[in-house]
């Protein structure tokens, strides 16, 4: 059996620092390679076989992971927040960072994080770009309102972004001069263009052959729309990686963090270590869910009686996570189980 070699990679935009060690910790090679596919191919020809590598999760990790994975016995990605030893070191540089990542991998102390498949990450990139367009569209709508308020123009807030009312407002209101009119038209054209692009991206993901069956199954859950379903499917990836609903709720950022020492217990309202995309989407869905589901409406009312509407919304969001987990892991449509209440 051939001995395994371990490689730690400190990834940056233009360069990658590496450290190659054998099982006993002796350095076999170390240095820097340019972060380009051609240079990585040439570097991999010099590596001893077999080898396993590890790198920290950064914005550049995805393409490097995809390029190196076919040539490695195993390739892992480390969670950046868990690599405290690197951040707390007195002396820190790229060579030392690569060596410490290599040692964590060699000693099986690497805080590994989940790496979704390439196909999921590509579609996730599209969904996050769609979310960016939605934010920009809201900014443009707010800018239209701001321009009208600056000029002291009275308008109907509920109808402002309707095409017919907007044209009528520009044509008939004497308080809108030519310069303001041109800016308002430009903002309106931007909103329309962003709206069309956003809708096209969402439809393309809904009809994607990789996601269509999963989306249709998750859409059977009451009060869950296509954007919530797409966000769940693409941000979670493989639902089997969560062994319990509590871990999924924690990943979605729907619970607080806990710091306990002796008899002292400190809890925060919501943990900052979460998937922010899932957290935002699930909370927005939970605000609308009681209108479309009697069961969720009952849950919301029960929690709200305790005196806090935000906690009631979080309870609904956690219930949605439980629904999504059950349907996704069971590969079956959502069904309401009727329970008979027997009075003593």
């Amino acid at each position: 059996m051939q001995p395994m070699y371990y490689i730690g990679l400190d990834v940056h935009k233009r360069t990658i620092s590496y450290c190659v060690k054998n099982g006993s910790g002796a350095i076999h090679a170390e240095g820097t390679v340019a972060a380009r596919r051609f240079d990585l191919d040439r570097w991999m020809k010099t590596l001893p076989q077999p080898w396993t590598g590890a790198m920290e999760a950064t914005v550049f990790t995805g393409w490097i992971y995809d390029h190196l994975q076919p040539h490695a016995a195993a390739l892992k990605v480390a969670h950046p927040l868990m690599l405290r030893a690197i951040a707390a070191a007195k002396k820190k540089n790229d060579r030392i960072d690569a060596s410490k990542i290599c040692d964590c991998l060699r000693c099986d102390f690497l805080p590994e994080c989940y790496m979704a498949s390439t196909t999921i990450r590509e579609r996730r990139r599209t969904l996050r770009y769609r979310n960016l367009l939605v934010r920009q569209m809201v900014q443009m709508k707010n800018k239209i309102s701001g321009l009208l308020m600056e000029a002291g123009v009275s308008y109907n807030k509920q109808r402002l972004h309707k095409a017919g009312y907007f044209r009528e407002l520009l044509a008939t209101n004497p308080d809108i001069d030519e310069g303001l009119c041109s800016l308002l038209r430009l903002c309106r054209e931007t909103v329309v263009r962003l709206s069309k692009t956003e809708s096209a991206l969402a439809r393309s993901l809904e009809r994607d052959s990789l996601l269509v069956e999963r989306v249709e199954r998750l859409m059977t859950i009451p009060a869950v729309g296509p954007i919530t379903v797409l966000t769940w499917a693409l941000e979670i990836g493989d639902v089997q990686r969560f062994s319990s609903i509590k871990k999924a709720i924690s990943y979605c950022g729907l619970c607080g963090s806990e710091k306990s020492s002796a008899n002292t217990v400190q809890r925060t309202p919501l943990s900052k270590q979460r998937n922010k995309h899932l957290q935002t989407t699930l909370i927005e869905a939970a605000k609308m869910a009681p209108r479309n589901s009697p069961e969720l409406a009952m849950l919301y009312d029960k929690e709200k009686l305790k005196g806090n509407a935000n906690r009631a919304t979080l309870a609904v969001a956690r219930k949605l996570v439980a629904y999504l987990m059950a349907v996704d892991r069971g590969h079956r449509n959502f069904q309401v189980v009727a329970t008979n209440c027997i009075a003593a």
Side-chain angles (χ1 to χ4, degrees):
M1 183 177 178
Q2 291 181 315
M4 180 66 70
Y5 288 86
Y6 302 88
I7 303 177
L9 302 171
D10 188 42
V11 175
H12 295 280
K13 180 180 179 180
R14 293 185 176 88
T15 60
I16 301 172
S17 297
Y18 65 89
C19 179
V20 184
K21 295 184 179 183
N22 59 22
S24 62
I27 296 178
H28 180 272
E30 60 181 352
T32 302
V33 62
R36 295 192 297 265
R37 289 179 173 83
F38 174 77
D39 294 280
L40 286 175
D41 288 336
R42 187 169 56 182
W43 169 70
M44 281 189 290
K45 294 178 181 179
T46 66
L47 295 178
Q49 297 293 334
W51 60 272
T52 179
M55 67 189 82
E56 188 178 357
T58 68
V59 69
F60 317 110
T61 298
W63 75 265
I64 298 173
Y65 178 89
D66 293 337
H67 194 73
L68 297 180
Q69 188 184 29
H71 306 279
L75 195 59
K76 300 181 179 181
V77 178
H79 196 295
L81 292 179
M82 303 300 178
L83 288 175
R84 300 291 186 181
I86 292 179
K90 184 176 181 180
K91 186 177 181 181
K92 184 180 185 302
N93 56 48
D94 295 345
R95 181 180 58 82
I96 294 176
D97 290 353
S99 177
K100 287 186 177 180
I101 293 174
C102 184
D103 286 334
C104 289
L105 174 66
R106 183 176 58 86
C107 300
D108 199 20
F109 289 152
L110 189 78
E112 187 178 359
C113 66
Y114 172 72
M115 196 69 178
S117 64
T118 305
T119 54
I120 291 292
R121 281 187 278 121
E122 289 173 352
R123 288 155 178 80
R124 181 192 295 168
R125 186 187 304 128
T126 302
L127 180 64
R128 291 182 179 179
Y129 184 75
R130 177 260 169 199
N131 295 340
L132 172 65
L133 296 183
V134 171
R135 292 195 297 270
Q136 292 178 341
M137 187 164 54
V138 172
Q139 290 175 351
M140 284 294 103
K141 288 182 177 181
N142 291 339
K143 187 61 179 177
I144 291 174
S145 301
L147 290 171
L148 291 173
M149 286 188 287
E150 284 180 15
V153 179
S154 299
Y155 62 92
N156 188 325
K157 182 179 178 181
Q158 283 71 32
R159 299 178 59 199
L160 177 60
H161 303 297
K162 304 289 185 181
Y165 176 79
F166 188 80
R167 286 195 299 267
E168 180 184 348
L169 181 68
L170 296 187
T172 60
N173 197 303
D175 297 327
I176 301 177
D177 57 29
E178 188 62 31
L180 179 59
C181 186
S182 62
L183 285 177
L184 290 171
R185 285 199 179 97
L186 180 61
C187 289
R188 177 63 190 176
E189 290 172 1
T190 304
V191 169
V192 172
R193 184 168 62 251
L194 290 173
S195 178
K196 291 181 179 178
T197 307
E198 176 269 326
S199 299
L201 291 176
R203 285 195 303 270
S204 67
L205 289 174
E206 290 179 50
R207 300 168 183 173
D208 192 285
S209 58
L210 181 69
L211 301 172
V212 62
E213 184 179 351
R214 190 177 181 185
V215 168
E216 289 178 355
R217 187 165 56 243
L218 291 170
M219 283 284 287
T220 60
I221 302 173
V224 170
I227 299 303
T228 303
V229 167
L230 287 171
T231 304
W232 171 267
L234 294 176
E235 296 294 341
I236 289 292
D238 183 11
V239 73
Q240 301 296 337
R241 65 191 179 105
F242 295 108
S243 58
S244 67
I245 295 176
K246 287 185 177 180
K247 291 185 178 180
I249 289 173
S250 176
Y251 180 78
C252 296
L254 301 176
C255 62
S257 60
E258 178 184 344
K259 295 181 180 179
S260 301
S261 178
N263 296 326
T264 303
V265 178
Q266 295 180 349
R267 293 183 181 273
T268 60
L270 283 180
S271 175
K272 296 296 183 182
Q273 296 184 29
R274 84 287 189 208
N275 185 308
K276 63 180 181 179
H277 305 283
L278 265 174
Q279 184 190 57
T280 301
T281 303
L282 287 169
I283 289 177
E284 290 299 321
K287 291 178 180 178
M288 303 293 293
R291 305 179 188 181
N292 303 304
S293 171
E295 291 80 10
L296 295 177
M298 290 176 59
L299 175 62
Y300 181 84
D301 293 337
K302 178 182 176 182
E303 294 294 328
K304 193 176 180 181
L305 288 175
K306 299 178 182 179
N308 195 313
N310 290 335
R311 288 186 178 180
T313 300
L314 284 176
V316 174
R318 295 187 192 108
K319 181 60 72 174
L320 288 177
V321 172
Y323 286 169
L324 291 163
M325 282 279 290
V327 172
D328 217 5
R329 296 181 70 175
H331 298 282
R332 61 181 183 274
N333 293 343
F334 180 83
Q335 294 179 350
V336 178
V337 178
T339 57
N340 297 323
C341 297
I342 303 175

